[in-house]
Amino acid sequence: ELNVKVKLCFVDLECLRVLDSLPRCGSTSEFRHPVTGEPNRNMCKEYHTFDRNSTCFIFISHRWCRPGHDCEGHPDNDKNDKIRLIVAACDAMKGVSIPENFGVACW
């Protein structure tokens, strides 16, 4: 029997707002993305670290704007329009689908 535990991780919307780009999660601290030059940011936090009574968890499914093999692709365009669209969509749901006093965590 295979008994593997996988961590469920999210990024806080406020971190995405400040970063203004889609963060990369990787294992090498010296890594620089070949397209953008950005490092691994590893901003994800485990699900259990969020207050589930005041956090809305959102799964974002999207197509990569710059597909590529291995680490050569990038999910956003060179202007970071996708991350801005994600932040704007989450903001638009506040007070409508998401209580105004809730935080948002994205996966």
Side-chain angles (χ1 to χ4, degrees):
E1 179 179 317
L2 185 62
N3 187 8
V4 177
K5 293 186 179 187
V6 177
K7 294 179 182 178
L8 179 59
C9 295
F10 292 84
V11 178
D12 188 289
L13 177 63
E14 296 311 311
C15 291
L16 293 177
R17 185 187 317 279
V18 170
L19 182 60
D20 196 38
S21 68
L22 291 168
R24 178 179 164 80
C25 182
S27 59
T28 307
S29 60
E30 307 83 36
F31 177 84
R32 291 284 183 254
H33 193 278
V35 176
T36 66
E38 295 177 338
N40 288 329
R41 290 230 161 72
N42 299 333
M43 301 173 71
C44 293
K45 296 183 350 185
E46 290 186 43
Y47 172 75
H48 69 84
T49 65
F50 291 91
D51 180 354
R52 292 180 293 245
N53 293 317
S54 62
T55 304
C56 178
F57 297 92
I58 298 178
F59 174 81
I60 300 167
S61 177
H62 63 95
R63 180 183 165 107
W64 281 41
C65 291
R66 296 181 276 181
H69 180 70
D70 199 19
C71 66
E72 294 172 0
H74 196 274
D76 210 345
N77 63 21
D78 59 344
K79 298 177 187 172
N80 293 328
D81 289 330
K82 183 177 287 187
I83 189 62
R84 293 185 186 120
L85 181 62
I86 290 169
V87 170
C90 291
D91 286 344
M93 289 189 283
K94 292 279 244 157
V96 180
S97 303
I98 303 170
E100 195 66 46
N101 63 328
F102 268 45
V104 175
C106 301
W107 186 94

